[in-house]
Amino acid sequence: MKIIKVKDYKELSNMVSEIIIKEIRKKPNLTIGFATGKSPLGAYKNLIREHKKGKVDFSRIKTFNLDEYYPINADDKKSYRAYMFNNIFNKINIKKDNINLLDGTAKNFKKECEDYEDKIKKNPIDLQIVGIGVNGHIGFNEPGSTIVSRTRLVDLASETIKRNKYLGKALTMGISTILKSKRIILLASGKEKARAVRDFIIGDIDKNIPASFLRKSKNLIVIIDKEAGSLL
Ligand code: GLP
């Protein structure tokens, strides 16, 4: 695990977008695992800006998103599908066919999850971006999730229901799914993440802190700002 400490959210976002751009230049058909939430938003803004300047071409990349609420209507603004299209996909030259999202409207959630696993197996993720929840979750792998977990339907922890203001379940890549990524970048910014960051980095590798399982990855980069790293 490589830990990079930066000053603030701006520096964190710059570092993440620079890594993504560098990797796309090396491999134009890079498969990226994207995350939602506040943590990657600054990096997405940078990617859009650099794309507008003609500095990066997304036409050959493929993407997989970590998670989605379930069930959720196709036109629900809260959906992670809406988040991705509004915050990045509609603003870069990505091909719609290369976008993979868990479908929160799928009737057969089991099949949806199995198909997603299969697709990832066929298109291994080169670079997976993940945020961390205040309770140490990654994607929607809440405390109690195991290292062998695969893409599945999960119950949300009560603090997640409160914070995300969503009363329902979710579909999420499992921890084993995420760990198959060739490289993982975990981002954390702000004081509210300090405890989760401390616990996942220096605590035991344990299902109570699902992010701790990422330490099993051979290529994990953790980028944290001063506040998120304040308890280390
Ligand atoms: C959410 C999502 C995660 C996200 C995390 C942190 O509930 N399921 O994918 O990484 O919580 O969100 P944020 O970056 O807004 O703090």
Side-chain angles (χ1 to χ4, degrees):
M1 163 172 59
K2 184 171 165 190
I3 302 174
I4 303 175
K5 290 186 188 159
V6 295
K7 191 170 89 205
D8 53 19
Y9 184 68
K10 190 168 180 221
E11 268 190 23
L12 175 139
S13 302
N14 291 346
M15 185 163 284
V16 176
S17 54
E18 273 162 26
I19 294 174
I20 294 174
I21 291 172
K22 210 169 107 204
E23 292 302 307
I24 295 176
R25 286 195 184 132
K26 261 198 256 165
K27 184 178 175 187
N29 62 345
L30 195 76
T31 299
I32 307 177
F34 276 129
T36 50
K38 280 186 237 135
S39 307
L41 263 187
Y44 295 164
K45 286 202 178 109
N46 292 342
L47 292 178
I48 295 164
R49 188 193 60 228
E50 293 306 297
H51 170 65
K52 289 206 168 117
K53 284 199 238 158
K55 297 269 168 67
V56 54
D57 173 21
F58 296 97
S59 64
R60 293 179 60 202
I61 67 158
K62 286 192 188 121
T63 68
F64 285 93
N65 261 76
L66 274 174
D67 48 12
E68 178 61 285
Y69 293 116
Y70 186 86
I72 193 144
N73 289 330
D75 56 357
D76 194 321
K77 289 195 192 81
K78 255 188 123 51
S79 74
Y80 286 171
R81 165 179 291 272
Y83 170 106
M84 289 308 295
F85 277 90
N86 294 335
N87 290 307
I88 180 159
F89 291 158
N90 283 338
K91 298 171 183 174
I92 59 173
N93 66 331
I94 189 168
K95 294 215 173 80
K96 298 267 176 317
D97 286 350
N98 290 344
I99 295 171
N100 296 285
L101 293 152
L102 280 158
D103 181 2
T105 71
K107 288 221 169 68
N108 186 342
F109 64 83
K110 272 206 174 128
K111 184 173 184 307
E112 177 63 18
C113 293
E114 275 161 26
D115 290 351
Y116 208 65
E117 280 285 329
D118 283 350
K119 270 193 243 165
I120 294 174
K121 209 177 267 169
K122 283 183 196 131
N123 292 286
I125 295 171
D126 295 300
L127 180 64
Q128 174 68 56
I129 309 295
V130 296
I132 181 168
V134 290
N135 63 354
H137 75 200
I138 42 167
F140 275 128
N141 292 282
E142 299 283 20
S145 301
T146 68
I147 192 164
V148 295
S149 56
R150 291 158 53 94
T151 304
R152 67 203 187 286
L153 178 68
V154 293
D155 289 319
L156 299 178
S158 53
E159 60 234 278
T160 307
I161 293 174
K162 235 185 270 157
R163 281 179 70 85
N164 295 26
K165 299 186 186 70
Y166 178 77
L167 206 96
K169 301 190 180 214
L171 303 175
T172 184
M173 275 186 203
I175 293 171
S176 76
T177 325
I178 297 170
L179 276 174
K180 279 182 200 124
S181 311
K182 292 178 200 157
R183 194 176 197 192
I184 302 171
I185 298 183
L186 183 146
L187 342 166
S189 165
K191 257 197 221 108
E192 58 170 19
K193 297 292 171 72
R195 195 172 51 95
V197 165
R198 179 198 61 197
D199 291 352
F200 106 83
I201 291 178
I202 57 181
D204 293 339
I205 295 182
D206 185 87
K207 61 181 174 6
N208 289 322
I209 305 288
S212 65
F213 289 124
L214 297 188
R215 283 159 49 196
K216 297 264 184 194
S217 163
K218 288 199 184 75
N219 201 343
L220 170 66
I221 302 174
V222 177
I223 309 178
I224 48 177
D225 66 11
K226 260 208 185 115
E227 286 187 354
S230 60
L231 295 178
L232 286 175

